[in-house]
Amino acid sequence: MEFDSHTSDVVGNAVALINDVTPGERHGKPFPAPADLRIAVRDAVPPSRTPDHPTETEAAELAGWAARLRAVVELVDDGEVDTACTTLNRILRETEAMPTLVRHDGEPWHLHFHSAGAEWAISWAASMATALAVVLGNASIERLGICNATACDRVYVDISRNGTRRFCSTACQNRVKAAAFRARKTAG
């Protein structure tokens, strides 16, 4: 499911950021905080538009916002939608998210979700929070969650047509399918 190209891209950036900078488990193994937070953050957001960012300070700030956005996804995954929406509303207020039409880099007018004068990290946090709000505010909320594979707590957003994705990656999906196959073979 695609919301619009910009919103879908920012939701994808939010998922990538959350998955790349928040510790936990990934693909059946422990996933510590990245050794170089600046590089992890830079890799999660489009570097072509922000070649001089992030600084170490900006990376740490955006990673803090990512942890808060992760908590929202966890609430959604636990079925606590009211609390997730209340929490996300708080983040939207704190980042001073506001819709603004802009045109840059030869692109047509499009919607940004942060104030024009926002600092780099807060502008990304506002944009990501707003993009997640678009997901939470419609039927696509069922497409947002935590990977269903054992020993993996990475976030996913399902943008497929049929809306059946429940894993953060093909690797986790294959791991679950292989384990189920082995279990059936052992039982049978």
Side-chain angles (χ1 to χ4, degrees):
M1 166 173 227
E2 187 158 308
F3 308 100
D4 69 41
S5 62
H6 184 67
T7 303
S8 292
D9 288 347
V10 177
V11 169
N13 296 137
V15 167
L17 180 71
I18 291 166
N19 286 341
D20 291 349
V21 303
T22 60
E25 296 176 304
R26 176 183 271 179
H27 310 313
K29 298 176 182 158
F31 183 76
D36 191 333
L37 189 58
R38 192 183 65 75
I39 289 174
V41 169
R42 185 197 65 209
D43 290 348
V45 297
S48 61
R49 294 195 182 135
T50 56
D52 299 330
H53 298 278
T55 64
E56 293 292 336
T57 302
E58 290 169 336
E61 182 180 353
L62 192 53
W65 289 108
R68 293 181 66 188
L69 294 173
R70 177 182 184 71
V72 170
V73 177
E74 289 171 348
L75 288 165
V76 169
D77 195 67
D78 289 341
E80 297 180 40
V81 175
D82 291 344
T83 305
C85 290
T86 301
T87 303
L88 191 55
N89 278 339
R90 189 176 313 114
I91 293 169
L92 290 166
R93 282 191 304 276
E94 290 174 25
T95 60
E96 298 179 348
M98 68 172 55
T100 306
L101 287 167
V102 296
R103 183 171 53 189
H104 57 82
D105 301 328
E107 294 181 14
W109 286 97
H110 59 279
L111 193 60
H112 276 199
F113 305 120
H114 54 83
S115 64
E119 297 291 328
W120 186 87
I122 201 82
S123 70
W124 273 107
S127 294
M128 291 176 180
T130 304
L132 285 177
V134 170
V135 176
L136 268 63
N138 65 56
S140 64
I141 192 170
E142 297 294 324
R143 293 171 173 251
L144 181 67
I146 305 294
C147 185
N148 285 352
T150 303
C152 187
D153 63 1
R154 301 296 88 187
V155 172
Y156 70 86
V157 63
D158 181 4
I159 57 170
S160 70
R161 274 194 183 169
N162 64 4
T164 59
R165 179 177 175 183
R166 297 297 173 253
F167 301 97
C168 69
S169 66
T170 305
C172 276
Q173 181 179 6
N174 289 342
R175 200 164 47 85
V176 168
K177 284 182 177 182
F181 174 78
R182 285 190 302 273
R184 282 191 309 273
K185 196 171 182 178
T186 302

